[in-house]
Amino acid sequence: MREPFEKAVEQHGATVLRVCRALLGTHDADDAWSETFLAAMRAWPGLAETANVEAWLVTIARRKAIDALRAAGRRPLPAEELPEAPSSLGVPGAEDGELWEMVGRLPGKQRQAVTFRYLAGMSYDEIAAVVGGNTAAARRAAADGLKNLRKHYPGATSRGAST
């Protein structure tokens, strides 16, 4: 019969803590130690009678330490000062504010068709499924939207448009 889980914690707790501290340092080691024994407690009933408990616990601790290191790599780093101006990086159309304002003034179906086609890269079939209607209607709405933009937006080129 295997000993109670509490005895395993008493016997091997210091070894597991040393492993956690060696891999993580003192700051995160206590959390990894706790996570190790929580995981071990859940798996304790299914552990074989002949298993090497210390090696099993050290393996769990090593895996918990790896998890902690990976999680630390995903956390944001603290900065002494935040930038004063918000970044436009990753904001579509941030440099073309006037153009996107004109797109916003288009009638609803035209605005959606232009946005889905030229910003999201959707096909006319996909646009028709989202907006409603058929492929020809989606194509017509996108064309009408571009025609309105070319007519009213001062930076638009008239390439392909009839005058």
Side-chain angles (χ1 to χ4, degrees):
M1 171 138 190
R2 187 178 32 236
E3 61 189 15
F5 184 74
E6 292 81 17
K7 290 284 188 193
V9 174
E10 286 176 23
Q11 287 178 341
H12 306 294
T15 303
V16 171
L17 185 58
R18 281 194 301 271
V19 169
C20 292
R21 283 187 178 163
L23 295 172
L24 295 172
T26 56
H27 180 61
D28 293 324
D30 291 339
D31 290 339
W33 184 89
S34 297
E35 290 291 325
T36 297
F37 282 105
L38 285 173
M41 185 172 61
R42 283 186 220 108
W44 187 254
L47 185 65
E49 293 285 334
T50 59
N52 181 340
V53 176
E54 184 177 39
W56 178 68
L57 289 170
V58 167
T59 300
I60 295 172
R62 184 178 67 80
R63 290 179 180 157
K64 292 299 178 182
I66 290 170
D67 291 346
L69 290 170
R70 287 180 180 157
R74 292 187 298 265
R75 278 188 227 119
L77 297 174
E80 208 169 293
E81 289 185 31
L82 295 176
E84 290 190 27
S87 171
S88 63
L89 184 65
V91 178
E95 64 278 350
D96 298 324
E98 188 178 344
L99 172 62
W100 290 105
E101 184 179 323
M102 294 297 295
V103 170
R105 292 182 190 161
L106 290 173
K109 289 224 178 189
Q110 290 179 16
R111 181 179 64 248
Q112 290 174 343
V114 168
T115 302
F116 290 151
R117 179 70 180 158
Y118 298 101
L119 185 64
M122 294 171 69
S123 70
Y124 292 114
D125 290 332
E126 294 169 326
I127 295 169
V130 171
V131 175
N134 57 33
T135 304
R139 188 181 307 272
R140 180 79 260 157
D144 289 347
L146 285 180
K147 184 176 179 183
N148 279 335
L149 286 175
R150 286 185 183 120
K151 186 190 293 184
H152 296 102
Y153 180 62
T157 62
S158 58
R159 189 183 90 214
S162 60
T163 50

